[in-house]
Amino acid sequence: MSFKNIPIRKKLMAVNLLISVTVLFLTCAAFTTYEIITLRKGMVQGYTTRAQIIAANSTASLAFQNESDAADVLNAMKTDPRIMAACIFDNTGKIFAKFPTNTPDSFFPASSGKSGYQDDHLEIFCPVVQGGRTLGTVYLQSNLSALTDLYRAYAGLAAMIIASSILVAYLLSRTLQKQISVPILALAQTAQAISNRRDFSIRAIKIGDDETGLLTDSFNQLLASIEERDKVLQTVNESLRAEISERKRAEDALARERNLLRTMFDVLPDYIYLKDEQSRFVLCNNRRAEDNATSASVDNLVGKTDADFFPPEEAARFRADELKVLGGTPLIDKEETLVRPDGTRQVILTTKLPFRDSSGKIVGLVGYGRDITERKQAETKLQAQLARLELLNRITRAISERLDLRSIFQVVIGTVEERLPLDFSSVCLYEQNTNSLTVAGIGVRSETIATELGLTKDTPVDIDENGLSRCVHGQLVYEPDISDSKFPFPQRLARVGLRSLVFAPLLVESRVFGILISARRQPHSFSSGECEFLRQLSEHVALAAHQAQLYDALQEAYEDLRQTQQAVMQQERLKALGQMASGIAHDINNAISPVALYTESLLEKEPGLSPRARDYLTTIQHAIEDVSHTVARMREFYRQRETQLTLAPVRLNELVKQVIDLSRARWSDMPQQRGVFIKMETHLAPELPVTLGVESEIREALVNLVFNAVDAMPEGGTLTLRTKISENAPHFVQVEVSDTGVGMDEDTRRRCLEPFFTTKGERGTGLGLAMVYGIVRRHSADIEIESAIGKGTTMRLNFPVPATQITETGKSMAAFTVPTRLRLLIVDDDPLLIKSLRDTLESDGHFIITASGGQDGIDAFRKAKERNEPFTAVITDLGMPYVDGRHVASAVKSISPSTPVILLTGWGQRLVAEGDVPPHVDRVLNKPPKLRELREALAQCLHSNES
């Protein structure tokens, strides 16, 4: 708010206060300035005097260069806390003494200067003179705390004086201003009340006889004259106001009714008009004028007839209808088709009624028309859409009953050809990996055009860069006119007279697997509704086709699942058998161990054996080795075979003889019990090269082939084993197993090596030939099968011959000579195995102590150690009741860490292969034990201890 707008009483108070404050402020400022100037001069004079005193007291010190006396003179500055620093310069300008003594030299000026005030301190320079000669200069530096204290004191005093003066001036002005402001304020309030209430009978109250009293009397006289005139004017104005108000209300009501009627008349979207007896327009709304006149003006239509705007035949028809209306017959909701001046057709729903005057005479007609063109078009489109939906529903029901892809496509193509209709229709399948289209179906009516185009079923279609390329990416493509197309496929269709074309993608889960092709001879002949119908149809067809594909896939998956289930059940049975056989294997190894030891011992240490007895023992030894390997392979039912084989030289001719002896019961004795004779023939090539392999595995493969050959000759026949060098590949040797049995057809021959495939029914597992095939592949060999129904089968194994022929050398006993008279402890729970081990090792000259269990073995070892009769080595079984071989090895090593522990177990191969050798065991041997392996293990353990 500006100063001129505040109340007068506040203005008076403000003027008084401003004057008082101004005077006081100027007075205080002058006084304070004078005091400050006086104090500043006094400080300079006082510190100059002190510097002169110090200069006088320092003449002797400077004259005699006595720095300690000069420092004592400066220490007198301690009594003045305002002294910040002081020093004495000699006549060269060098600091001679300073106060305080720890003040750095850089704090003082470089040389003497002029005394005076600096920014925040006072500097005093005073020369030290003796006999007219200047000995140096005294420098003093003082802070300005005295001036600061004076400023604060004067500021507080001035503020207190000004505040007190303002308060007194405020109280006085508040009291005295009422003598001026109250009469003026009363006069103003009276004037405001008259203005607000328009009451000129109010009078102002007079206060005093001064100028304000005179103003009040004049104001009251003016009010009296205004009051008299106002009464006269009020009487006249009231009468005029009443008359004007009544007239205005009538005019406003009439104008509103006219505007409302005209607005309603003009904004209606329908045609409203009035004609006289000659069918001339008398009145019409804007809609009628805009459609019938050349310009959008009602005046151009009034006075004219329909003959001025419509063809003569239409105008005559309208006149005939209006004559009936003028005769008293109304025309209600008649559809009339009109042709506009721009050539477009229009459908009008017309109503015409007779118009009568006040006497009831017909003097014209009132017409009302509504444009229903869009509604009729919508009805036509809706009917077409309903027809297409019904067609889509029929096609959907038809294809939902089919699960064959070709049948689905044929139903769709045939239906849309007839009902849409189309001149050409086809379905192509899309292969995404090769980005190619293939014709999958053609409509019956389209076959003639398809023949001209060279399109038949399974014909490939090139994908151009226009329509087909966009369609296989999931976009519906409509080509209104392909006559000028530059792309190959549309050009082919255009050459046979087709002009408009639609490509609809068969899309399922964002993947296009086909295209529905629709074409007509007329250009621009597909409406948007038909394109939408084809898009929806393609979705339904795609879904049905996808369901058909899923059904086929489901059928195939079901068959695969059934076969897999059978294979899994077979595998589970084999796994259960394998787990059971794992336990049996241990017992079998224990049972055949004495036989193996005694057989090997007899062959080695009984030179007087007859050739026949030695041959029998050799066969027994091979059979035991095969049993051992067979037992070891029992774990293959539930554990994968090692891929690396330790290959050794193998003589196939000798191996074939061993197979014949081992399988004699199967091909000779057992068939003869049934009255069947099988003849065995052998054709072994002389000087057959040695090959590399695992003798026991090759022997097992040949035995399996012999067993299969015997099973293939239920009525007897000839079984032939043959070895020879391959004629086609001299670096291969061949072993053939031939029979004259039932033979195999081509499908059986092709699948016979598959796991679990068998022609023996419940008698076969389907693993025999699969195992043979695995053995052959592990030996880098291959297998050939020749067979025919009724002509027998030949299984031919081809083994590679090493590039450098192998010279077989047995392992010399000298390589691991075992000292005699070793003191050995044997721990096992099988008494026959203990006996056979003791007999064979004692025959080698060793001293043997046996223990029938783990705890007995630990006790025997501890007692021998206490008697100072330690054992050279300990041979222990793994699986024993209560205390097994692991505990025995641990206890032996805790008593004598240097004593070798050899673990002899039926699970030896598995422990080594799986890296599960127990701790504290120096060597693992597999059951049944071999003397050579046992001697080698003892030699190696003793050699390790000695080294």
Side-chain angles (χ1 to χ4, degrees):
M1 182 183 293
S2 61
F3 184 74
K4 64 181 180 179
N5 294 329
I6 63 176
I8 191 170
R9 59 183 183 84
K10 293 185 177 180
K11 287 180 180 178
L12 292 173
M13 293 177 63
V15 168
N16 292 333
L17 290 174
L18 183 60
I19 293 171
S20 301
V21 171
T22 303
V23 171
L24 287 173
F25 179 77
L26 292 175
T27 303
C28 291
F31 175 75
T32 302
T33 302
Y34 172 77
E35 288 296 326
I36 290 173
I37 293 173
T38 302
L39 180 60
R40 288 173 67 91
K41 290 181 180 180
M43 283 184 65
V44 173
Q45 184 177 359
Y47 283 112
T48 301
T49 302
R50 179 169 291 190
Q52 291 174 353
I53 294 172
I54 294 173
N57 293 331
S58 302
T59 53
S61 301
L62 286 172
F64 296 103
Q65 294 292 308
N66 191 339
E67 295 180 1
S68 61
D69 290 346
D72 292 339
V73 172
L74 291 177
N75 284 335
M77 298 296 101
K78 293 180 179 179
T79 58
D80 190 349
R82 295 187 182 91
I83 299 296
M84 298 171 59
C87 73
I88 299 174
F89 295 98
D90 59 12
N91 55 1
T92 63
K94 181 179 178 182
I95 297 175
F96 183 70
K98 58 184 177 179
F99 171 80
T101 57
N102 58 354
T103 305
D105 293 346
S106 60
F107 184 78
F108 298 100
S111 61
S112 61
K114 184 178 180 181
S115 299
Y117 289 95
Q118 301 300 323
D119 293 337
D120 58 350
H121 61 275
L122 173 63
E123 292 184 345
I124 301 297
F125 294 91
C126 180
V128 180
V129 181
Q130 184 182 28
R133 184 169 64 90
T134 301
L135 300 178
T137 304
V138 175
Y139 169 76
L140 296 180
Q141 186 184 116
S142 172
N143 58 32
L144 303 180
S145 60
L147 288 178
T148 304
D149 295 341
L150 181 61
Y151 293 160
R152 292 174 180 170
Y154 283 166
L157 181 60
M160 183 176 63
I161 294 172
I162 291 173
S164 300
S165 300
I166 291 173
L167 178 60
V168 173
Y170 172 75
L171 295 175
L172 290 176
S173 62
R174 182 173 182 179
T175 302
L176 297 177
Q177 58 85 23
K178 293 180 180 180
Q179 301 299 323
I180 300 173
S181 63
V182 169
I184 297 174
L185 183 60
L187 187 60
Q189 290 174 350
T190 302
Q192 186 176 8
I194 294 170
S195 176
N196 293 338
R197 292 184 285 176
R198 307 292 295 177
D199 185 4
F200 296 102
S201 62
I202 300 174
R203 298 295 181 266
I205 301 174
K206 183 179 180 180
I207 302 175
D209 294 327
D210 55 1
E211 290 84 352
T212 57
L214 182 60
L215 180 61
T216 301
D217 291 338
S218 301
F219 182 71
N220 288 335
Q221 292 175 2
L222 178 62
L223 289 177
S225 62
I226 293 174
E227 183 180 8
E228 293 177 1
R229 293 180 183 180
D230 185 63
K231 291 179 180 179
V232 176
L233 290 174
Q234 284 182 357
T235 303
V236 175
N237 288 336
E238 286 176 359
S239 60
L240 290 175
R241 190 179 298 112
E243 183 179 354
I244 293 171
S245 177
E246 186 65 27
R247 184 178 298 174
K248 184 173 179 57
R249 282 197 298 271
E251 291 176 353
D252 290 344
L254 181 59
R256 284 195 301 271
E257 291 177 0
R258 288 177 178 175
N259 292 334
L260 179 61
L261 180 60
R262 189 65 204 183
T263 301
M264 293 176 60
F265 192 62
D266 287 336
V267 300
L268 287 174
D270 301 324
Y271 307 122
I272 303 174
Y273 50 91
L274 178 64
K275 291 184 176 182
D276 59 12
E277 293 178 301
Q278 284 73 38
S279 294
R280 292 189 299 262
F281 286 98
V282 177
L283 180 67
C284 68
N285 63 348
N286 288 335
R287 177 63 185 273
R288 186 69 179 182
E290 291 171 0
D291 280 0
N292 290 330
T294 56
S295 62
S297 173
V298 176
D299 296 336
N300 292 336
L301 186 63
V302 174
K304 297 180 180 180
T305 65
D306 289 334
D308 296 322
F309 310 107
F310 298 103
E313 61 275 9
E314 289 189 4
R317 179 164 49 85
F318 296 156
R319 177 59 179 166
D321 291 338
E322 290 174 357
L323 288 175
K324 294 179 183 179
V325 176
L326 292 172
T329 304
L331 182 68
I332 307 296
D333 292 341
K334 180 181 179 181
E335 291 187 5
E336 297 177 344
T337 303
L338 309 179
V339 179
R340 289 181 175 178
D342 60 0
T344 59
R345 303 184 67 84
Q346 186 179 23
V347 181
I348 304 296
L349 187 64
T350 301
T351 297
K352 296 179 180 180
L353 303 174
F355 181 71
R356 303 175 188 271
D357 61 7
S358 57
S359 63
K361 180 183 177 181
I362 297 175
V363 295
L365 61 89
V366 177
Y368 172 83
R370 173 168 293 178
D371 188 354
I372 61 172
T373 305
E374 293 183 358
R375 188 179 76 184
K376 297 295 289 183
Q377 292 175 350
E379 289 177 356
T380 304
K381 291 181 180 179
L382 180 60
Q383 290 175 357
Q385 182 68 16
L386 290 175
R388 286 192 291 268
L389 288 176
E390 192 273 335
L391 176 60
L392 180 63
N393 188 31
R394 286 184 55 189
I395 295 174
T396 303
R397 288 199 305 269
I399 62 179
S400 64
E401 299 172 356
R402 289 167 169 78
L403 295 174
D404 177 60
L405 200 60
R406 301 284 183 180
S407 175
I408 291 172
F409 289 158
Q410 207 59 43
V411 168
V412 173
I413 295 172
T415 306
V416 295
E417 258 188 339
E418 177 183 356
R419 297 293 299 275
L420 201 54
L422 299 173
D423 295 317
F424 177 77
S425 180
S426 175
V427 173
C428 296
L429 292 179
Y430 174 63
E431 180 59 43
Q432 187 174 8
N433 295 332
T434 59
N435 192 30
S436 60
L437 283 173
T438 305
V439 177
I442 298 174
V444 176
R445 296 185 178 183
S446 305
E447 289 182 353
T448 302
I449 297 178
T451 302
E452 296 179 22
L453 293 172
L455 295 178
T456 58
K457 288 185 179 180
D458 301 327
T459 300
V461 177
D462 294 333
I463 298 178
D464 53 52
E465 296 300 324
N466 188 16
L468 289 176
S469 177
R470 286 184 288 146
C471 189
V472 297
H473 287 87
Q475 181 180 354
L476 184 136
V477 179
Y478 173 42
E479 297 287 349
D481 192 350
I482 60 175
S483 58
D484 297 329
S485 177
K486 299 179 181 179
F487 297 96
F489 189 69
Q491 286 180 349
R492 291 176 66 183
L493 299 180
R495 282 196 294 268
V496 297
L498 299 174
R499 297 291 297 278
S500 57
L501 177 65
V502 176
F503 295 136
L506 303 181
L507 184 67
V508 173
E509 297 178 354
S510 301
R511 184 181 66 86
V512 174
F513 71 90
I515 293 178
L516 175 62
I517 302 174
S518 305
R520 285 175 176 164
R521 297 185 183 275
Q522 294 296 325
H524 302 275
S525 56
F526 286 95
S527 64
S528 60
E530 289 175 330
C531 290
E532 177 64 19
F533 167 76
L534 290 173
R535 185 189 65 80
Q536 294 180 0
L537 176 62
S538 66
E539 292 179 357
H540 286 267
V541 174
L543 182 60
H546 184 60
Q547 289 176 345
Q549 291 175 340
L550 289 178
Y551 178 78
D552 293 340
L554 183 62
Q555 286 290 96
E556 184 178 354
Y558 173 75
E559 184 63 26
D560 292 343
L561 179 63
R562 186 182 63 80
Q563 296 179 1
T564 303
Q565 185 181 20
Q566 293 179 352
V568 170
M569 292 176 62
Q570 182 75 356
Q571 187 64 31
E572 288 297 324
R573 287 195 295 267
L574 292 175
K575 182 178 179 180
L577 176 62
Q579 291 174 348
M580 179 183 68
S582 177
I584 298 174
H586 180 265
D587 296 337
I588 293 176
N589 284 327
N590 281 342
I592 64 175
S593 292
V595 180
L597 287 172
Y598 285 134
T599 301
E600 188 175 1
S601 179
L602 288 173
L603 288 172
E604 179 183 323
K605 297 182 179 181
E606 296 294 336
L609 292 174
S610 65
R612 184 176 183 181
R614 183 170 296 276
D615 185 51
Y616 285 170
L617 289 175
T618 302
T619 301
I620 292 172
Q621 188 177 38
H622 289 319
I624 292 172
E625 290 178 357
D626 288 349
V627 170
S628 175
H629 287 291
T630 300
V631 170
R633 280 193 299 275
M634 285 184 180
R635 58 192 174 92
E636 293 177 0
F637 289 118
Y638 60 96
R639 181 180 173 272
Q640 202 169 18
R641 182 193 295 262
E642 293 82 1
T643 57
Q644 298 296 328
L645 298 178
T646 302
L647 302 180
V650 176
R651 294 187 177 276
L652 293 178
N653 284 343
E654 296 180 4
L655 201 61
V656 168
K657 295 177 181 179
Q658 296 171 10
V659 168
I660 294 174
D661 293 338
L662 288 173
S663 61
R664 185 178 301 277
R666 185 68 178 272
W667 60 261
S668 177
D669 300 341
M670 295 173 63
Q672 288 181 12
Q673 292 177 3
R674 302 193 309 270
V676 175
F677 175 72
I678 294 178
K679 180 181 178 182
M680 171 64 73
E681 293 184 358
T682 58
H683 303 280
L684 306 180
E687 299 181 359
L688 193 69
V690 176
T691 186
L692 290 177
V694 178
E695 186 175 298
S696 60
E697 288 200 357
I698 298 176
R699 186 186 301 116
E700 178 187 6
L702 294 176
V703 168
N704 266 298
L705 294 179
V706 169
F707 288 172
N708 282 346
V710 172
D711 291 338
M713 296 184 292
E715 304 299 327
T718 302
L719 176 61
T720 304
L721 272 72
R722 179 181 290 107
T723 62
K724 61 180 180 179
I725 299 175
S726 175
E727 297 177 358
N728 299 327
H731 56 285
F732 277 88
V733 293
Q734 298 177 340
V735 180
E736 293 182 357
V737 178
S738 302
D739 63 73
T740 58
V742 296
M744 295 182 286
D745 58 21
E746 181 60 26
D747 182 65
T748 303
R749 188 195 67 79
R750 180 173 50 84
R751 297 186 58 193
C752 65
L753 298 179
E754 295 179 6
F756 307 114
F757 177 80
T758 180
T759 58
K760 301 178 183 178
E762 295 297 329
R763 295 185 299 108
T765 64
L767 292 176
L769 286 179
M771 187 176 295
V772 171
Y773 180 73
I775 293 172
V776 169
R777 298 306 300 166
R778 285 197 297 275
H779 283 77
S780 299
D782 59 37
I783 184 170
E784 299 176 9
I785 304 175
E786 296 178 0
S787 182
I789 297 296
K791 295 183 179 180
T793 301
T794 298
M795 308 293 287
R796 183 178 300 110
L797 307 184
N798 298 310
F799 292 95
V801 177
T804 302
Q805 189 59 41
I806 301 170
T807 301
E808 294 181 277
T809 56
K811 288 189 179 181
S812 175
M813 289 297 296
F816 49 88
T817 303
V818 182
T820 57
R821 301 301 299 170
L822 298 179
R823 185 176 174 86
L824 303 177
L825 173 62
I826 299 176
V827 183
D828 202 301
D829 59 340
D830 187 343
L832 288 178
L833 180 60
I834 290 178
K835 182 177 185 305
S836 60
L837 280 173
R838 183 178 57 195
D839 292 343
T840 53
L841 291 176
E842 285 179 348
S843 65
D844 283 350
H846 303 302
F847 180 76
I848 307 300
I849 301 295
T850 62
S852 60
Q855 189 60 48
D856 292 343
I858 295 172
D859 295 340
F861 187 84
R862 182 179 293 107
K863 292 177 181 178
K865 185 70 174 177
E866 293 174 354
R867 294 195 304 268
N868 199 19
E869 297 176 354
F871 291 103
T872 308
V874 176
I875 302 174
T876 179
D877 188 15
L878 176 61
M880 295 181 293
Y882 305 113
V883 178
D884 61 5
R886 292 181 175 86
H887 291 86
V888 171
S890 178
V892 168
K893 290 295 185 180
S894 64
I895 299 172
S896 176
S898 61
T899 301
V901 176
I902 299 173
L903 190 65
L904 184 62
T905 175
W907 298 306
Q909 290 181 352
R910 179 177 63 83
L911 293 176
V912 175
E914 295 179 356
D916 193 25
V917 177
H920 311 301
V921 171
D922 298 282
R923 182 72 183 269
V924 177
L925 295 180
N926 197 54
K927 289 182 180 180
K930 297 179 180 178
L931 283 176
R932 181 181 60 79
E933 293 178 353
L934 188 58
R935 292 165 181 164
E936 182 181 1
L938 288 172
Q940 290 179 350
C941 291
L942 294 175
H943 178 70
S944 298
N945 286 342
E946 292 174 359
S947 60

